[in-house]
Amino acid sequence: MDFFKILRNRLLGVLTVGITILLTASAQSQTTNAPTIDLLLLEARADAEFTAGQQDPMWGMHGRYFNLKMGGQLSNKVGYFFRQRLRADAGSINFFDNTDFLYINYQASPQWRFRFGKDAMAVGGYEYDAPPIDEYMVSEYWNNIYCFQLAGSVAYTTPGGQHTFVAQVSQSPYINSLGLAWNAGLLAYNIEWMGSIGKHVSTLWSTSMIERARYRTVGTYMNLTMLGTHVQFDKWDAYLDLMHHALTADDWGNNLGYVARFNWRCASQWTLFFKSSFERNSSQVEYDSPVWIDQMVPAHSSFTKNGIGLEFKPQKVVGIRLHAYAGLQSCFDHQTSTSEYSIMANAGLTWTMDFSNLINKHQ
């Protein structure tokens, strides 16, 4: 039996078990504290890409994402969420490498929530916060950060639900990026503010102390500050993420950037979007090993990306989204004062298979 048959059989097994559990949970929905599955879906995305610049042109088609998502309640106060990237390659750090989310929530009261498990690091920014399957022309920082880590967190939501403050301790992403063993013991300490200011403005602001190495005289921690602000109206919305990294107390202003996106819903099925990002790492902090200074933006480099695109959601075909975009990207090397430019074009399709919705409609 070849690999694809094995993968197909495993996926069918997962779906069969999931649908059986969903039907059982639905039948028991009138029972107090009965476990439920409120979300069960598969989502997939495939892209055709073209890149041309100072190097030879590259083009082709490939599957980008294939995810299984599940979530629900174990009791009135305990919930869960699970998202698995279905991919053939094994994890390099631990068994859960390809699992984005696998956590338990305990909602102790309307104001207090506790969470433990595999989770996204509590780091701000709207590009970072969006599901990867929904992102295009991503920043260099987004490409490089290992954001899904085992973590524990506590969150406080103000009465009325306008502001939530999160304190989280997680594994450090440097465990992954430096190729360390899972028991290296490096941690990250994150504080995040998720707020609503009036009817139209929301925030995802955070600051983090991310452990890079132990027993160093300098550079033991990297400070990562992310300020994401989102504005939304009926026909359009936009966000601006400001980012800053620092490895020492006097390493300020050398490693920074922004990501901005504007979405205009020009028709019920069409969204036109513009995206721009700029990142610069001119930090002079030296290390005794030839690795990137902060593992997120390569040292002595600047990256710029600008593009325009369209999303289309057919009205009569549920769960299908088409997209296309084109843009220009450049990289400047501060050490050699040289630049590389390239154009990029992409077209693709995303399919969301919502099994929970299909089953509920036929009950």
Side-chain angles (χ1 to χ4, degrees), residues 12 18-19 46 65 76-78 95 124 128 161 187 191 199 233 286-287 292 295 300 340:
L12 289 174
I19 292 172
Y65 296 103
N76 287 338
K77 293 188 175 183
V78 180
F95 182 75
Y128 173 93
L187 299 175
I191 298 175
K199 294 182 179 179
F233 289 86
E286 298 281 342
Y287 288 107
W292 292 357
Q295 297 295 318
H300 313 298
E340 289 188 7

Side-chain angles (χ1 to χ4, degrees), residues 123-129 192-206 225-233 236-243 257-263:
V123 172
Y126 284 87
E127 182 189 52
Y128 173 93
D129 194 61
E192 184 178 26
W193 167 43
M194 299 179 286
S196 296
I197 304 173
K199 294 182 179 179
H200 303 291
V201 180
S202 58
T203 62
L204 286 174
W205 290 17
S206 71
T225 297
M226 299 290 295
L227 306 178
T229 304
H230 183 243
V231 180
Q232 183 164 5
F233 289 86
W236 66 271
D237 70 277
Y239 68 72
L240 174 65
D241 295 338
L242 302 176
M243 63 184 75
Y258 78 83
V259 181
R261 176 167 167 168
F262 175 84
N263 301 305

Side-chain angles (χ1 to χ4, degrees), residues 325-340:
Y325 66 82
L328 175 68
Q329 58 187 357
S330 66
C331 175
F332 179 75
D333 188 322
H334 294 273
Q335 288 184 312
T336 61
S337 297
T338 58
S339 298
E340 289 188 7

Side-chain angles (χ1 to χ4, degrees), residues 127-128 135-145 226 239 241 243 257-260 275-279 296-297 303-305 329:
E127 182 189 52
Y128 173 93
E135 281 298 326
Y136 317 111
M137 292 181 290
V138 294
S139 63
E140 197 69 15
Y141 154 80
W142 188 97
N143 268 325
N144 292 323
I145 186 170
M226 299 290 295
Y239 68 72
D241 295 338
M243 63 184 75
Y258 78 83
V259 181
K275 192 169 183 184
S276 175
S277 65
F278 171 78
E279 299 157 276
M296 298 187 189
V297 178
F303 293 84
T304 304
K305 298 179 183 180
Q329 58 187 357

Side-chain angles (χ1 to χ4, degrees), residues 36-40 69-73 80-82:
T36 65
I37 295 180
D38 303 319
L39 174 71
L40 177 63
K69 296 171 68 173
M70 184 181 295
Q73 294 296 124
Y80 67 93
F81 182 66
F82 168 61

Side-chain angles (χ1 to χ4, degrees), residues 62-347:
H62 66 117
R64 188 180 289 273
Y65 296 103
F66 189 24
N67 303 328
L68 170 65
K69 296 171 68 173
M70 184 181 295
Q73 294 296 124
L74 299 177
S75 71
N76 287 338
K77 293 188 175 183
V78 180
Y80 67 93
F81 182 66
F82 168 61
R83 187 174 81 197
Q84 178 75 25
R85 298 194 194 195
L86 301 174
R87 53 198 301 177
D89 55 313
S92 59
I93 304 300
N94 57 54
F95 182 75
F96 295 114
D97 269 11
N98 296 330
T99 304
D100 293 343
F101 297 100
L102 181 59
Y103 61 71
I104 298 293
N105 262 337
Y106 174 54
Q107 194 71 43
S109 71
Q111 272 67 58
W112 291 97
R113 183 264 293 163
F114 300 87
R115 177 181 294 174
F116 179 77
K118 188 72 180 290
D119 197 3
M121 292 173 60
V123 172
Y126 284 87
E127 182 189 52
Y128 173 93
D129 194 61
I133 200 169
D134 295 336
E135 281 298 326
Y136 317 111
M137 292 181 290
V138 294
S139 63
E140 197 69 15
Y141 154 80
W142 188 97
N143 268 325
N144 292 323
I145 186 170
Y146 289 83
C147 63
F148 300 110
Q149 300 289 342
L150 289 170
S153 65
V154 57
Y156 173 76
T157 301
T158 58
Q162 290 184 313
H163 304 280
T164 297
F165 301 92
V166 181
Q168 182 195 65
V169 178
S170 72
Q171 282 186 312
S172 169
Y174 281 105
I175 290 179
N176 302 76
S177 56
L178 292 177
L180 304 177
W182 64 269
N183 58 356
L186 303 183
L187 299 175
Y189 305 89
N190 312 300
I191 298 175
E192 184 178 26
W193 167 43
M194 299 179 286
S196 296
I197 304 173
K199 294 182 179 179
H200 303 291
V201 180
S202 58
T203 62
L204 286 174
W205 290 17
S206 71
T207 187
S208 305
M209 294 299 293
I210 301 176
E211 196 170 18
R212 183 187 180 276
R214 296 254 173 109
Y215 314 117
R216 284 183 178 271
T217 56
V218 295
T220 299
Y221 287 90
M222 182 189 75
N223 174 257
L224 171 62
T225 297
M226 299 290 295
L227 306 178
T229 304
H230 183 243
V231 180
Q232 183 164 5
F233 289 86
D234 290 339
K235 289 290 186 179
W236 66 271
D237 70 277
Y239 68 72
L240 174 65
D241 295 338
L242 302 176
M243 63 184 75
H244 183 273
H245 316 161
L247 285 143
T248 61
D250 59 355
D251 189 36
W252 294 89
N254 296 314
N255 198 333
L256 46 79
Y258 78 83
V259 181
R261 176 167 167 168
F262 175 84
N263 301 305
W264 176 40
R265 287 169 287 282
C266 46
S268 60
Q269 300 166 264
W270 294 89
T271 298
L272 176 68
F273 65 87
F274 304 87
K275 192 169 183 184
S276 175
S277 65
F278 171 78
E279 299 157 276
R280 184 192 72 194
N281 183 347
S282 57
S283 177
Q284 298 300 311
V285 177
E286 298 281 342
Y287 288 107
D288 56 5
S289 58
V291 296
W292 292 357
I293 287 179
D294 71 356
Q295 297 295 318
M296 298 187 189
V297 178
H300 313 298
S301 300
S302 295
F303 293 84
T304 304
K305 298 179 183 180
N306 295 289
I308 182 173
L310 275 171
E311 285 187 338
F312 173 66
K313 297 180 180 179
Q315 222 167 23
K316 297 182 180 180
V317 185
V318 177
I320 295 294
R321 181 187 68 202
L322 302 173
H323 74 264
Y325 66 82
L328 175 68
Q329 58 187 357
S330 66
C331 175
F332 179 75
D333 188 322
H334 294 273
Q335 288 184 312
T336 61
S337 297
T338 58
S339 298
E340 289 188 7
Y341 297 89
S342 62
I343 60 172
M344 50 185 172
N346 180 296

